[in-house]
Amino acid sequence: MPRDAKDLLHGTLDLLVLRALAAGPMHGFALSKWIDERTRGELGIVDSALYKALNRLEDSGDIHAEWGLSDNNRRAKFYSLTVRGRRQLRNEVASWKHYVAVVTSVLELG
Amino acid sequence: MPNPIRGLPPSVRRLFRLPPTRDRIIADADEEMRFHIEAWTEELRARGLSPSDAVAAAYARFGDPGEYREHAVRRAAHVTRRQNVGIWMAEWMQDVRFALRHLARAPLFTAVTVLTLALGIGANSAIFSVVHRLLLDPLPYPNGQRIVALKTIGNVSFLAASASISPDAPGDPPSNLLQKWAERSRSFEQVAGVEPVFLSLMPDGRQDTVTHAFATANLLGLLGVRPALGRGFQPDEETPAHRHVAMISTRWWHAAYGGQADVIGKPIEYEGATYTIVGVMPAGFTIPMQTRTLGGLQMPAPDVWLPAPIEETSIGYGLLRRGVTAESATRELTAIANALDEGRDGHRLRAADDSIRARAMRASDFLSAREVRMITILFAAVGVLLLIACANAANLLLLRAWSRRREFAVRLGLGAGRARLVRLALTESVLLALVAGALGVVIARESLRVIIALRPLALDRLADVHIEPAVLLWTGAISVVTGVLFGGAAAVFGASRNVADLLRTESRTASSGGLTRRVRATLIVAEIALSFALLVGAGLLARSFVTLERTRLGFDPHNLVSIDVLAPPPLWMGPQRSAVRDAVTASLAEVPGVTAAAMGTLPTAGYRVRDGLVVETPDGPRQIGVSQAVTTWIDARWFGTSGIALLAGRVPRAGVTDETPLPPGPPRGPRPAFRRLSEEVVVNREFARRLAPNGDAIGYRIRTAPAVAGKGPPSSSAWSTIVGIADDVRLPGMHDDSQRYQVYTLSLTAMPNPTYVVRFTTIPPNVEAVLRRAVQRANPTLVARRLGIADDYVREALAPTRFTLGLLGAFAGVALVLTVVGLYASIAYTVSQRTHEIGIRIALGASSRAVSRLVLADGVRLAVAGLAAGALIAAAATRALSSLLYGVDPTDPATFVAIAFLVAAITLAASWIPARRAVRVDPVDALRAE
């Protein structure tokens, strides 16, 4: 799939978000915590970028957003994967793995 | 209109899953961000940071809040825009569905309105395409607008020209004139020439069936076309040394070479010499701007083209420089042509007192004033038809709008916006117009097919007329405008009333709103008036046509044909020429199915010779002031074969000085007197009356004299004696003098190649081949060409009138039908509205006659007003027809009165039917019904 730097970043972030939501619906804060813990903060993802990714995915129909109540009864917007989103996640994971394998094989040629 | 969705509280929106508004989207983003920051602040405090540090860190890890907000704003705008479009689309689809449902609920109205508009649009598209093809863009070449044909007007030489061609017709200039124009004229970028070969001979002397033409190398360039294959001619190939190259037509390429690309380089034969094919002309290429006339030599598209320099061609074309008009080019050409005069020595080929008139003719100039008039009249007539169609559609739309006023009132009451109602009505009108447009295209296509079939020879260019896209757009626009105008106006009327008023107003009151009723009445009166005018025009033309058809021809054209016969010079100049002629006549007479054959052209197709005529009176020779006479070379059997009655005297007999074969070599001794007419001649009755008003012209002596003394060939013309008077022959519709005076003479030393007339019992399908074989049986070196059929001449003389009458009659008929339908609809509706009132009247004792009179009064009033207006319009307009009318005045009272009766009768009938229905109203039902 053709990508430039910005697309690459967006695509990776979208992938992470989809994977996170595969674990279950969560609101934006929970999502940022989830990603933070799994990546040990090493990717340096800015939170506003995360919300933009959520908007993108909502507009393209991969995730569904709904206002609900958080654990401490505060209003929060919950996101969940749609059927289309699940399919998209599967495809993107496969692409990503393929991409990594190809680049790795080139790099290891030396 | 305000979006009703916005006013609802968010919970309600959520309940109904309504899409979020712009502000809501932005507010949501803000709230999300706030929640996020607060949550992270708590989290970080739980991890041990101080409150202020935790807040700072939370903000830090979020990123730039301002930038995020901008993103949110943009997204909000984007999302709502998409939603609004969705809403509009949904509303519009709903409008269309409603409109379709309403139209389907009133199928008669819909069908009539659509048909009305379709007829108007279709007829207009067809006629406009005709105008476009003939006048606006007649040449199919890229440079078409700047191409002119270079012609001379009137005969340039004293040689005879076929009398069926008008003396002011454009003719081809002599080749040397064309060359001088090419060299000296500054009006043109290029001057090219074409020379068609009417007679190609094969080496064994037989006629070639392949047609050839010569062209200058710049012809294709001048027209702006490229060869279909290979290349065109180079300028140096016009010279004798290099000219053995040829181009072939696409048709010939496929016919003789199978369309193979290897045709380039192949050899081709012409008159014993070999040429190499270098290119193929584009498909359908033919000699441009050839006018078709009966009696002129006609040539199909040439198969083989050969190069020639301009001084060997006679059909000239010029490509005007940009900014130069055809008129200024004409002036320059005329100046050059007449300047050419000086310094010409020897014997001139034409009388010098009339100078050469040249003309640079655009394709549209080839139409005579009469033909342009014809087209203009048809264009105006079809425009009137469109007006009537639009008026009718408007009428019907107004009627329908009025009948739906209660429905509109209810909708208004339920809260539909006025704008929405108007939009609804407009959608209906636009739908109607679009369907009418589509149907109109079909009608236009069929009409063009009829027009092509009926076309007269002068409008032969119409053979490939088609619907111009511009025309469709234009007429489609008209129909949409009509629909919108009246549909919209109707909706506005319907929607602008006070709702309560509308709901209260029952049929009890007057039949319809004052304004709409007046508008509708005006429309109907206008329709009646215009239909009347069209019908009067058609009626006048019909009477002309009948007059024309009954014209006494003076001869019998049925199954009469003619054929030209050309002999090689030795045969022609030699002493055996009369033997040859007799052999041909005998051979023709022996053909099975032939009842008679003679030498001579078809009647009315003789030759016009530009000489004056002098008659010998007791007081001395007197020049006859006859504008021109037509000379026909005949033999003794010609009158019988043609079916022309000899009213007095006898057929001429050959005299000794008629045909004196010229001995070869220089003249020895005195030359015999030059004869232009044989010793004995016959003239027609009209001529005889001119010569001898009171007495018998037989015995009078007559001779020709050149137009101006001292010029032209030596005038030692000898006297001839008139021995017989023949019946007048004429073709229908000849307005001018060109056919009035006829002189019939026997064969002479100097006469054009003879034509022979043959009468069949029925003309066989391959008549030209049959005649050619008969001619060649008489002598194999003779060549036969140019078949003429007398019936064609007669039919072609009637054709323009038939064409105009057919179309104008069709328009007038359609107009009348539309008008009557509109009138009927109006009155029927009025009656249905007044059922209540009529019921009361009947209950109160009104007689049925009184009731029908009540209803008829309306129709009568409209009809009378319409006829009065129509008579005025017709009286003014039919003046335009006068050049097309024969034997009837443009303001002929009989026609006007007859048409008035027709229209009155039909409109009364249209009013009477609803009246009958009114009478049968049951008063009880009427009173009960609302």
Side-chain angles (χ1 to χ4, degrees):
Chain A
M1 240 183 301
R3 288 164 191 232
D4 63 11
K6 192 154 161 247
D7 278 349
L8 194 61
L9 182 58
H10 282 172
T12 316
L13 193 48
D14 289 357
L15 189 52
L16 292 177
V17 168
L18 286 174
R19 176 64 186 86
L21 292 178
M26 48 180 100
H27 52 60
F29 166 68
L31 184 64
S32 65
K33 253 184 56 173
W34 189 96
I35 292 180
D36 221 37
E37 281 160 21
R38 303 283 182 309
T39 63
R40 291 189 288 276
E42 280 170 16
L43 286 185
I45 296 174
V46 171
D47 290 341
S48 54
L50 202 61
Y51 280 98
K52 288 191 204 166
L54 284 168
N55 285 342
R56 250 197 326 275
L57 288 168
E58 186 185 351
D59 288 342
S60 64
D62 290 333
I63 63 179
H64 174 71
E66 205 168 341
W67 283 97
L69 286 178
S70 70
D71 298 338
N72 29 13
N73 283 333
R74 299 243 297 280
R75 242 184 115 226
K77 205 170 190 188
F78 284 82
Y79 297 91
S80 52
L81 272 189
T82 59
V83 174
R84 189 194 132 102
R86 279 187 206 285
R87 200 176 32 213
Q88 189 71 353
L89 175 60
R90 268 202 305 279
N91 294 341
E92 287 292 313
V93 166
S95 288
W96 173 261
K97 287 186 177 162
H98 175 75
Y99 171 75
V100 164
V102 167
V103 173
T104 310
S105 71
V106 170
L107 293 175
E108 280 177 358
L109 284 179
Chain B
M1 89 182 90
N3 189 341
I5 300 173
R6 239 171 258 163
L8 298 167
S11 49
V12 177
R13 290 171 63 89
R14 229 178 325 159
L15 187 59
F16 287 101
R17 294 196 190 283
L18 293 168
T21 63
R22 184 178 164 278
D23 296 334
R24 176 106 305 248
I25 293 176
I26 298 173
D28 280 358
D30 284 343
E31 196 176 339
E32 235 187 334
M33 187 174 87
R34 243 193 339 265
F35 173 78
H36 181 96
I37 302 286
E38 281 170 15
W40 264 110
T41 308
E42 278 176 32
E43 175 73 20
L44 290 171
R45 278 193 42 205
R47 290 188 195 169
L49 278 107
S50 71
S52 47
D53 284 344
V55 167
Y59 268 107
R61 67 165 287 138
F62 184 78
D64 181 358
E67 196 242 335
Y68 180 64
R69 190 138 201 291
E70 269 172 34
H71 160 90
V73 168
R74 269 201 310 273
R75 179 168 174 256
H78 169 71
V79 167
T80 47
R81 207 182 6 249
R82 252 206 326 230
Q83 282 169 7
N84 283 342
V85 169
I87 292 173
W88 291 338
M89 287 293 297
E91 275 185 3
W92 188 68
M93 288 308 302
Q94 193 184 45
D95 280 347
V96 171
R97 267 202 303 276
F98 280 167
L100 282 174
R101 209 167 344 136
H102 285 136
L103 290 176
R105 231 185 272 154
L108 196 60
F109 156 81
T110 309
V112 171
T113 313
V114 164
L115 202 57
T116 302
L117 280 176
L119 284 170
I121 294 172
N124 256 78
S125 303
I127 296 295
F128 191 77
S129 302
V130 165
V131 169
H132 193 268
R133 180 80 181 87
L134 292 175
L135 296 176
L136 296 178
D137 186 23
L139 281 181
Y141 308 110
N143 292 336
Q145 301 289 349
R146 292 192 291 145
I147 297 177
V148 289
L150 309 178
K151 301 283 188 193
T152 49
I153 306 292
N155 258 346
V156 180
S157 71
F158 88 111
L159 293 172
S162 173
S164 46
I165 301 175
S166 135
D168 279 333
D172 294 320
S175 310
N176 52 1
L177 183 54
L178 207 50
Q179 184 185 17
K180 282 294 187 280
W181 280 341
E183 285 169 10
R184 296 202 202 159
S185 159
R186 284 198 294 270
S187 309
F188 305 105
E189 273 176 43
Q190 305 236 36
V191 172
V194 169
E195 180 65 19
V197 178
F198 290 109
L199 184 63
S200 317
L201 292 176
M202 303 210 279
D204 59 3
R206 279 184 301 129
Q207 236 174 313
D208 200 346
T209 48
V210 178
T211 45
H212 299 78
F214 289 93
T216 53
N218 58 355
L219 179 66
L220 291 182
L222 183 148
L223 298 172
V225 299
R226 307 168 62 75
L229 193 69
R231 64 169 178 85
F233 300 134
Q234 308 282 12
D236 62 349
E237 281 165 348
E238 292 175 8
T239 57
H242 300 107
R243 87 207 272 197
H244 284 264
V245 289
M247 292 183 71
I248 58 176
S249 70
T250 300
R251 188 196 77 87
W252 188 240
W253 179 34
H254 287 291
Y257 297 93
Q260 305 286 343
D262 64 354
V263 68
I264 307 291
K266 286 222 170 115
I268 193 168
E269 298 270 324
Y270 170 66
E271 297 216 326
T274 312
Y275 297 78
T276 314
I277 299 177
V278 296
V280 176
M281 287 293 195
F285 187 77
T286 180
I287 301 175
M289 291 196 265
Q290 266 197 314
T291 40
R292 288 194 60 186
T293 49
L294 281 181
L297 279 168
Q298 230 29 259
M299 192 164 148
D303 299 316
V304 178
W305 293 81
L306 304 166
I310 190 125
E311 59 266 23
E312 290 179 22
T313 63
S314 55
I315 303 182
Y317 305 96
L319 180 65
L320 290 168
R321 289 188 199 279
R322 291 184 199 280
V324 176
T325 60
E327 287 74 24
S328 61
T330 297
R331 281 194 294 272
E332 190 191 23
L333 291 177
T334 311
I336 296 177
N338 293 311
L340 185 57
D341 260 352
E342 326 306 339
R344 265 183 35 111
D345 42 43
H347 119 175
R348 284 211 176 74
L349 283 183
R350 36 147 203 77
D353 70 318
D354 39 1
S355 44
I356 301 177
R357 289 182 291 153
R359 192 154 171 219
M361 298 182 69
R362 290 168 298 230
S364 50
D365 293 334
F366 281 90
L367 293 174
S368 70
R370 202 156 155 270
E371 280 134 19
V372 174
R373 168 62 55 94
M374 224 163 73
I375 298 169
T376 315
I377 288 176
L378 289 174
F379 191 51
V382 84
V384 166
L385 179 62
L386 185 65
L387 276 179
I388 293 179
C390 289
N392 225 24
N395 196 8
L396 290 169
L397 285 167
L398 284 176
L399 262 183
R400 181 153 162 75
W402 182 256
S403 71
R404 289 170 67 190
R405 68 194 185 290
R406 295 186 67 204
E407 175 199 335
F408 280 164
V410 168
R411 283 178 189 267
L412 273 177
L414 282 181
R418 197 154 297 157
R420 185 77 203 280
L421 277 187
V422 172
R423 212 172 68 201
L424 204 58
L426 285 181
T427 313
E428 277 187 28
S429 313
V430 169
L431 267 181
L432 279 176
L434 287 177
V435 174
L439 190 56
V441 170
V442 173
I443 292 179
R445 239 209 308 264
E446 293 308 307
S447 313
L448 280 180
R449 212 172 292 180
V450 169
I451 288 177
I452 294 176
L454 273 185
R455 74 188 188 283
L457 210 58
L459 300 183
D460 194 50
R461 268 213 297 279
L462 288 177
D464 56 357
V465 69
H466 55 273
I467 304 181
E468 297 290 325
V471 175
L472 279 181
L473 278 173
W474 184 69
T475 43
I478 289 183
S479 62
V480 168
V481 164
T482 310
V484 163
L485 206 57
F486 287 94
V492 166
F493 279 142
S496 68
R497 315 279 283 225
N498 187 311
V499 174
D501 237 354
L502 278 171
L503 286 172
R504 214 184 314 132
T505 307
E506 301 292 348
S507 327
R508 253 174 256 153
T509 57
S511 53
S512 45
L515 184 57
T516 29
R517 190 155 40 106
R518 275 198 294 276
V519 168
R520 282 195 359 249
T522 316
L523 285 175
I524 300 234
V525 166
E527 284 184 49
I528 296 179
L530 290 174
S531 301
F532 178 78
L534 282 180
L535 282 169
V536 164
L540 290 172
L541 272 180
R543 288 189 60 176
S544 302
F545 189 67
V546 167
T547 310
L548 278 182
E549 270 208 312
R550 297 220 195 106
T551 311
R552 262 201 85 235
L553 297 170
F555 69 103
D556 178 12
H558 301 304
N559 301 313
L560 184 67
V561 302
S562 73
I563 188 123
D564 287 358
V565 173
L566 301 147
L571 201 58
W572 194 232
M573 301 299 206
Q576 69 275 45
R577 54 200 286 184
S578 66
V580 168
R581 276 201 308 270
D582 292 339
V584 170
T585 319
S587 178
L588 288 171
E590 280 166 19
V591 171
V594 168
T595 55
M599 188 194 86
T601 59
L602 288 175
T604 71
Y607 290 87
R608 191 177 300 112
V609 181
R610 281 160 49 111
D611 282 330
L613 287 164
V614 177
V615 74
E616 191 179 56
T617 64
D619 310 318
R622 179 180 71 123
Q623 192 99 3
I624 305 173
V626 154
S627 48
Q628 55 197 301
V630 175
T631 306
T632 311
W633 281 270
I634 59 162
D635 70 7
R637 280 169 295 227
W638 186 80
F639 288 103
T641 311
S642 308
I644 300 179
L646 213 53
L647 300 173
R650 57 173 174 78
V651 162
R653 285 194 287 263
V656 275
T657 59
D658 283 346
E659 272 195 280
T660 46
L662 296 169
R668 270 168 296 189
R671 282 191 109 123
F674 186 81
R675 296 205 74 93
R676 302 295 293 278
L677 300 171
S678 55
E679 285 183 17
E680 297 188 346
V681 295
V682 169
V683 299
N684 67 330
R685 175 176 31 186
E686 189 68 32
F687 202 163
R689 212 177 311 158
R690 193 69 192 266
L691 291 175
N694 302 322
D696 197 358
I698 295 186
Y700 273 55
R701 301 217 305 159
I702 185 173
R703 72 169 165 89
T704 60
V708 175
K711 316 285 183 187
S715 61
S716 54
S717 186
W719 289 101
S720 310
T721 316
I722 299 177
V723 300
I725 301 180
D727 201 358
D728 295 323
V729 299
R730 69 171 62 84
L731 283 176
M734 287 293 146
H735 261 170
D736 50 19
D737 279 350
S738 58
Q739 303 271 332
R740 282 173 78 179
Y741 305 111
Q742 308 264 351
V743 177
Y744 300 100
T745 172
L746 296 176
S747 32
L748 298 164
T749 311
M751 71 176 225
N753 283 306
T755 308
Y756 293 82
V757 286
V758 181
R759 174 144 345 245
F760 284 86
T761 41
T762 4
I763 300 180
N766 57 343
V767 55
E768 185 158 3
V770 164
L771 293 177
R772 181 173 296 131
R773 273 200 300 272
V775 164
Q776 281 169 350
R777 264 200 302 275
N779 187 313
T781 61
L782 294 175
V783 170
R785 69 166 186 194
R786 196 170 76 111
L787 177 79
I789 302 180
D791 276 320
D792 283 352
Y793 279 77
V794 176
R795 193 158 13 101
E796 193 46 42
L798 294 170
T801 311
R802 187 192 293 122
F803 183 71
T804 316
L805 173 61
L807 289 180
L808 191 58
F811 296 156
V814 169
L816 185 63
V817 167
L818 290 179
T819 305
V820 164
V821 165
L823 180 65
Y824 175 81
S826 261
I827 296 193
Y829 185 74
T830 307
V831 167
S832 70
Q833 288 302 98
R834 295 168 79 181
T835 319
H836 196 92
E837 174 196 341
I838 292 173
I840 293 180
R841 285 178 189 262
I842 294 181
L844 287 179
S847 70
S848 56
R849 198 157 357 127
V851 171
S852 39
R853 218 173 333 162
L854 187 69
V855 173
L856 273 179
D858 245 344
V860 167
R861 236 176 314 131
L862 291 173
V864 166
L867 284 175
L872 286 175
I873 296 177
T878 48
R879 231 179 299 260
L881 274 178
S882 46
S883 62
L884 296 175
L885 298 177
Y886 297 97
V888 67
D889 233 3
T891 48
D892 177 47
T895 314
F896 272 69
V897 167
I899 303 286
F901 267 118
L902 176 69
V903 172
I906 295 186
T907 46
L908 279 178
S911 325
W912 185 74
I913 299 176
R916 295 292 306 161
R917 225 175 308 133
V919 162
R920 286 198 227 105
V921 164
D922 183 347
V924 178
D925 284 332
L927 285 168
R928 221 186 312 159
E930 297 286 48

